[in-house]
Amino acid sequence: MNTQHLYYFKSLAKYEHYGNAAKENLTSASSLSYAISALEEELGVSLFVKSGRNIRLTFYGKIFLEYVNNIINTYEKCLKEINDISKDQLSNISLISIDSLSTSFIGEILKDFNLLKHNSKIKFKLFTGTASDTVVDAVKNGKCKFGFCNRIEDPNIINYTLFKEEFVLISPKNRYQFVDRINDFSVFKDANFVAFNESYPMYWSINQIYQSYNFHPKILYNASSDIQLLSFVENGLGPAITLNSEEVKNANVDVFKLDKLFERDFSFIWLQGTDFNKNELDFKKFVINYFNNKKIMSKLQQ
């Protein structure tokens, strides 16, 4: 039994004539007759009996027709709903990024993608997360198809490294002076520091950096996001260690590199096994190629 057989049965019940029913379904009378015979064999009852030159429904056929009408109505409703959802998904791409990258970084990518697609009508739904684990959760629960965040190892997540970000020390403008990279934190022994909350994933990575210098900062201000931490430093509350993001580079703070290199991968992520539509596949390929080209240009310029 298949859907086409049900449509054949419904037409034959309406016309009570093989030729007319076959014409409506753009098939031959013999093909329709074969389908009805297959249905009757599967059900174990006769659905039609001859009535002069025509046919008519049997008692079992009338019962079966009620169910067939319900099945076809449900099937067509389902097809319409899936088609509507598919069209909506095809024209919308959902993204999530950590909040420190949701302005210039994402805007640049979307601008170049739209230029490549010749100003297509693809709509982008952009969400922001306060931390990388928030981004990962949004991708895993299906809220967003793609995410931009610092690498988090998860067996269900595909991480594609776009670039590496270096940890640096940032401080209020003109408060400290360093000729070279920082190799001694003794100058900060009396300073009040800014740091992320302990619940923030980057907190522990930064804590290990301080430990590598045998330094225990006096932390008076705890921030819950990259933007908040940057704002604290800009407003003179104290120095902090964070990633050297685009937001940091453009902020009103001094940025000092450390003599030990600490980096973190910045990744483009998606859920393993996800079915992507054509526009989503185009966007995924674009982002990967976009950063591959940037890496090649960077090497050529060195």
Side-chain angles (χ1 to χ4, degrees), residues 85-125:
I85 293 172
S86 178
K87 285 182 179 178
D88 180 65
Q89 288 181 339
L90 189 61
S91 63
N92 290 278
I93 298 178
S94 55
L95 311 170
I96 183 168
S97 168
I98 52 176
D99 54 10
S100 60
L101 292 174
S102 61
T103 51
S104 59
F105 174 84
I106 300 298
E108 182 181 337
I109 291 175
L110 299 188
K111 178 194 73 175
D112 290 348
F113 179 71
N114 278 334
L115 288 174
L116 182 70
K117 298 287 283 185
H118 304 294
N119 295 317
S120 65
K121 296 181 179 180
I122 300 173
K123 298 177 183 178
F124 285 89
K125 295 181 179 179

Side-chain angles (χ1 to χ4, degrees), residues 8-19 21 32 36 40 45-65:
Y8 286 168
F9 170 78
K10 183 177 179 180
S11 290
L12 192 56
K14 178 173 70 173
Y15 290 108
E16 296 184 338
H17 189 278
Y18 276 96
L32 194 144
I36 298 302
E40 290 179 330
V45 296
S46 295
L47 299 174
F48 295 94
V49 293
K50 287 185 177 181
S51 178
R53 293 184 178 181
N54 292 349
I55 57 172
R56 59 181 174 81
L57 285 168
T58 65
F59 171 75
Y60 298 110
K62 292 177 181 178
I63 294 174
F64 188 56
L65 180 61

Side-chain angles (χ1 to χ4, degrees), residues 231-283:
S231 174
F232 284 0
V233 177
E234 280 186 315
N235 282 282
L237 299 183
I241 288 180
T242 189
L243 289 168
N244 195 18
S245 66
E246 288 300 316
E247 294 293 327
V248 166
K249 293 172 185 175
N250 296 324
N252 187 34
V253 297
D254 286 327
V255 180
F256 301 107
K257 294 194 173 185
L258 308 176
D259 69 330
K260 299 176 184 178
L261 182 62
F262 297 93
E263 293 180 318
R264 194 164 181 183
D265 289 349
F266 186 77
S267 297
F268 178 44
I269 70 168
W270 58 90
L271 185 64
Q272 187 153 217
T274 297
D275 289 325
F276 296 112
N277 63 42
K278 183 182 181 302
N279 287 335
E280 290 166 342
L281 281 173
D282 286 347
F283 182 72

Side-chain angles (χ1 to χ4, degrees), residues 151 158-162 266-270 288 292 295:
R151 187 183 187 95
I158 302 295
N159 281 277
Y160 184 87
T161 299
L162 300 180
F266 186 77
S267 297
F268 178 44
I269 70 168
W270 58 90
I288 292 172
N292 282 342
K295 290 173 186 176

